[in-house]
Amino acid sequence: MTYTRQEAEELVERWADTILRVAYAWTGNMPDAQDVCQTALLKLLTRPERFPDPDRQRFWILRVTVNCCKDMKKSAWVQRRVSLDAAADAAATMPEPGESPVLEAVLALPEKYRKAIYLRYYEEYGVDEIAALLGCRTAQVSTWLYRGKAKLRTMLGGSNGQECFSD
């Protein structure tokens, strides 16, 4: 059973404010509350049967709204997102030129060594992961890391007994 356009508009007019208020109370922010409101109204309008009385409809709408809020809170999107303020606090800052001689030396390496060293020691990828990222064999990455560290040791003035990096 479907609703006519007029019936659908009346249902939206009647329940949108209530759903929005309940959703806002559960989610704590308006954009999420609006998403929940839209989802709950769609469920109401696509429900195959109609309600025998308004009290049952009210109960059903509130239960669906709460369940939508719970579903939203469990979603991976909500669990992994952060606010813009938190993102700004966690944003990576690059050191100023001259501030990090090691980074300057890494950036001065030939490209293949630079990529391998950067991914391994700055981004903390494993050798297998670097090989997959760069589209080469694991042995090749190990060679680039070994040679790149040797070049860095020379550039930074380390002797054979001193290690600039540790695995």
Side-chain angles (χ1 to χ4, degrees), residues 82-93:
V82 294
S83 69
L84 288 176
D85 294 334
D89 292 342
T93 57

Side-chain angles (χ1 to χ4, degrees), residues 98-140:
E99 188 177 305
S100 175
V102 176
L103 181 58
E104 285 183 24
V106 169
L107 295 176
L109 288 171
E111 183 178 2
K112 58 187 174 186
Y113 303 141
R114 180 179 64 239
K115 287 179 180 178
I117 294 283
Y118 182 82
L119 290 171
R120 177 72 180 105
Y121 296 103
Y122 286 89
E123 298 298 328
E124 299 178 351
Y125 282 105
V127 175
D128 293 335
E129 295 170 314
I130 296 170
L133 286 169
L134 298 179
C136 60
R137 296 184 331 268
T138 304
Q140 187 67 55

Side-chain angles (χ1 to χ4, degrees), residues 19-21 23-24 27 29-41 72:
I19 294 170
L20 191 61
R21 283 186 279 120
Y24 183 76
T27 62
N29 68 58
M30 192 53 74
D32 286 347
Q34 290 169 336
D35 288 345
V36 167
C37 182
Q38 183 176 12
T39 303
L41 287 170
M72 178 174 279

Side-chain angles (χ1 to χ4, degrees), residues 32 35 72 74-82:
D32 286 347
D35 288 345
M72 178 174 279
K74 288 188 293 187
S75 74
W77 165 252
V78 170
Q79 291 178 358
R80 291 190 180 126
R81 73 179 179 185
V82 294

